[in-house]
Amino acid sequence: MKHNLVQSIVEQSVMLTSDADWDKLIQQVHNSKFVLLGEASHGTSEFYTARVEITKKLIQEKRFTFVAVEGDWPACQAINRYVKGYDLVTKSAKDVLKSFDRWPTWMWANEEMIDLIEWMKEYNESGQNQTKVGFYGIDIYSLWESMDEVIRYLKQIDSTDLEAARQAFTCFEPFNRNNEEYAVSAGIFSEDCIEEVAKLLTTIQRKKEKYPHHEELNLNLQVNALVAYNAENYYRTMVVHDDRSWNIRDMHMVDALNEIMDFYGSEGKAIVWEHNTHVGDASATDMKDSGMINVGQVIREQNPTEDVFITGFGTYRGTVIAAEEWGMDFEIKTVPPAMKGSWEEAMHLSGAYDKLLIFTDENRQLFQGRIGHRAIGVVYRPEYEQYGNYVPSVMSDRYDAFIYIDETQALHPLVQEKAPVL
């Protein structure tokens, strides 16, 4: 480990001791319209609780209008309807989180999310901001659920476009709501539904302004149709082109994010919660060498520099919620000390305490070396960590700030049983 890197972290970072320390980060956001908050895993309690407190401050002090997360649109709509008061039946955030029944359920159905959801509901009810703050899922996986939502809504308003939706759904029916079955059929045997979903999306987008706007029904329809179209492309591609399917997924998240921003108009300001691998600019990593892009990179490219602020997260050691294999029950796994020569080890060597490092025009050159940066997914096997869990990154180009928690604890899931596999 180069001494000058450790020394630079010591000199440029500030210790985090309480929630009041987030003010330093909020000040750096200035007038950004997009604040992207990462995480080094989908199962670490401190990453969620830190984002909750930062999010509250951004909403209160910077008038941010919505939170967009790496989750399914239909399930997250249950949260959106609850916090905005559209749902007059559900009595608690814990009940709302029962909507998350797709593996990995723990990503959003966890104790840490309850605080934010109840706070957002109370904030909206207080009338502190004329525009009610929303909560949305911008991921791509809800193909079948989004198709259901499109048909249900078009049927509800007795739309002439219902037939186009039914034709698209009929095409998918033989696959029994099985994503893998459709992926193999479409990707290898070219038996796909691309024409049907393209026709449906085009029809709905052409009549965008004609659908009712009550309780965001128009936005709900638009994004569900977008999910159906892009999810079809994603599953058709993933079997034969893994890198390309990654790009399809992240471009979908950008498209959905922009759709929400359009809905909020000039007041739109987005807080995005996703894994570091999605929000940390891919052009500053070895992902670029494979032609891969991500949300952080594209949002930066689409907007003025001052409109985008990206914060990464990391830890040296601790515990995490993850699974041994895709679709299996989650476990509390031990996160070993960070690999020698990694970014996380440098942060630890600079002092075994939580810290915030903000990258500025004055200090970015100190962190220009490419270094391994740990990434833990929903599937995690610590014993093999050195072979695939470190993403070579230029940290001061990948992020505008970095939050380091020296020792972290596992997330607290609400649901213990195994949920349906993607």
Side-chain angles (χ1 to χ4, degrees):
M1 178 61 59
K2 294 182 179 178
H3 174 73
N4 59 350
L5 173 59
V6 174
Q7 188 59 35
S8 294
I9 295 171
V10 171
E11 294 171 355
Q12 300 297 324
S13 64
V14 294
M15 184 184 294
L16 294 171
T17 58
S18 71
D19 289 342
D21 295 326
W22 300 130
D23 291 339
K24 301 178 181 70
L25 182 68
I26 303 303
Q27 290 168 8
Q28 291 298 315
V29 168
H30 297 299
N31 295 315
S32 296
K33 293 184 177 180
F34 296 87
V35 171
L36 281 58
L37 302 175
E39 58 182 354
S41 85
H42 290 311
T44 300
S45 180
E46 287 84 356
F47 298 157
Y48 281 74
T49 54
R51 291 187 301 186
V52 166
E53 296 309 315
I54 294 167
T55 296
K56 290 177 184 178
K57 284 182 174 289
L58 288 170
I59 291 170
Q60 282 188 309
E61 300 173 23
K62 295 287 187 177
R63 290 293 188 258
F64 274 75
T65 54
F66 68 91
V67 180
V69 305
E70 190 181 335
D72 292 344
W73 179 271
C76 289
Q77 269 300 296
I79 295 178
N80 188 56
R81 290 182 58 78
Y82 179 75
V83 300
K84 287 196 168 183
Y86 302 153
D87 179 353
L88 302 177
V89 177
T90 308
K91 300 302 181 184
S92 70
K94 193 167 185 177
D95 287 339
V96 171
L97 290 171
K98 293 176 182 177
S99 300
F100 292 86
D101 59 0
R102 177 195 300 279
W103 191 93
T105 57
W106 70 83
M107 273 182 64
W108 304 114
N110 58 66
E111 295 281 355
E112 286 77 357
M113 286 300 299
I114 291 175
D115 179 28
L116 178 64
I117 296 169
E118 297 291 14
W119 182 90
M120 288 177 67
K121 182 175 177 61
E122 290 174 12
Y123 179 83
N124 283 337
E125 289 174 347
S126 73
Q128 293 182 52
N129 195 358
Q130 191 172 4
T131 301
K132 287 188 175 182
V133 180
F135 188 100
Y136 306 95
I138 56 174
D139 215 335
I140 201 170
Y141 294 123
S142 61
L143 171 60
W144 316 100
E145 294 89 346
S146 288
M147 284 295 304
D148 287 341
E149 287 295 302
V150 169
I151 290 175
R152 185 183 65 80
Y153 175 61
L154 293 177
K155 191 174 182 178
Q156 178 183 323
I157 64 172
D158 196 25
S159 172
T160 55
D161 302 325
L162 179 60
E163 185 54 36
R166 280 178 169 158
Q167 285 182 9
F169 191 78
T170 299
C171 181
F172 285 107
E173 275 189 319
F175 305 102
N176 301 310
R177 294 178 176 260
N178 186 301
N179 296 328
E180 289 74 15
E181 191 174 326
Y182 179 76
V184 171
S185 176
I188 297 178
F189 300 109
S190 298
E191 296 174 358
D192 58 55
C193 300
I194 184 171
E195 289 185 15
E196 288 80 0
V197 289
K199 180 181 177 182
L200 174 62
L201 180 62
T202 302
T203 299
I204 289 174
Q205 287 183 333
R206 190 173 65 245
K207 299 181 179 180
K208 185 173 182 176
E209 297 307 319
K210 295 182 180 179
Y211 296 112
H213 287 251
H214 177 62
E215 294 185 355
E216 304 182 23
L217 293 175
N218 186 305
L219 176 64
N220 201 24
L221 177 64
Q222 298 296 324
V223 178
N224 276 314
L226 185 67
V227 171
Y229 177 77
N230 285 333
E232 186 282 328
N233 190 14
Y234 173 81
Y235 288 119
R236 176 164 41 87
T237 306
M238 67 180 290
V239 176
V240 287
H241 298 289
D242 194 43
D243 289 353
R244 196 182 301 172
S245 66
W246 170 279
N247 288 355
I248 291 169
R249 182 185 173 203
D250 274 54
M251 278 307 305
H252 166 77
M253 292 195 278
V254 171
D255 290 344
L257 187 56
N258 286 334
E259 195 76 46
I260 305 165
M261 285 290 278
D262 288 345
F263 173 78
Y264 280 89
S266 59
E267 292 186 339
K269 296 181 76 173
I271 304 167
V272 182
W273 287 28
E274 294 192 319
H275 198 281
N276 288 340
T277 50
H278 295 297
V279 301
D281 191 331
S283 67
T285 75
D286 69 341
M287 295 167 69
K288 181 180 180 180
D289 303 335
S290 303
M292 298 170 72
I293 59 170
N294 70 0
V295 174
Q297 176 184 341
V298 177
I299 291 296
R300 273 182 171 176
E301 291 171 352
Q302 290 181 348
N303 297 276
T305 302
E306 63 272 17
D307 281 357
V308 184
F309 192 90
I310 305 175
T311 301
F313 285 70
T315 184
Y316 180 67
R317 74 171 97 208
T319 55
V320 67
I321 291 292
E324 192 80 1
E325 293 180 17
W326 193 263
M328 289 183 63
D329 290 338
F330 65 76
E331 304 171 17
I332 296 178
K333 292 178 173 287
T334 298
V335 178
M339 191 171 70
K340 187 174 178 57
S342 67
W343 172 253
E344 286 74 16
E345 189 205 33
M347 295 295 280
H348 177 72
L349 292 175
S350 70
Y353 53 83
D354 302 347
K355 54 182 74 76
L356 168 67
L357 176 56
I358 295 171
F359 300 114
T360 65
D361 292 341
E362 289 71 35
N363 71 12
R364 283 187 194 272
Q365 76 280 1
L366 299 173
F367 307 99
Q368 285 291 296
R370 186 175 276 202
I371 190 169
H373 172 27
R374 178 151 57 186
I376 295 172
V378 291
V379 174
Y380 177 52
R381 302 185 74 175
E383 64 271 27
Y384 299 124
E385 188 179 83
Q386 61 182 319
Y387 302 110
N389 286 94
Y390 288 83
V391 181
S393 306
V394 178
M395 299 300 288
S396 58
D397 288 345
R398 188 171 183 183
Y399 304 111
D400 297 298
F402 192 82
I403 293 168
Y404 171 79
I405 310 296
D406 192 61
E407 185 163 354
T408 50
Q409 301 300 317
L411 199 62
H412 300 89
L414 292 175
V415 181
Q416 297 297 321
E417 69 272 17
K418 186 174 178 179
V421 180
L422 285 172

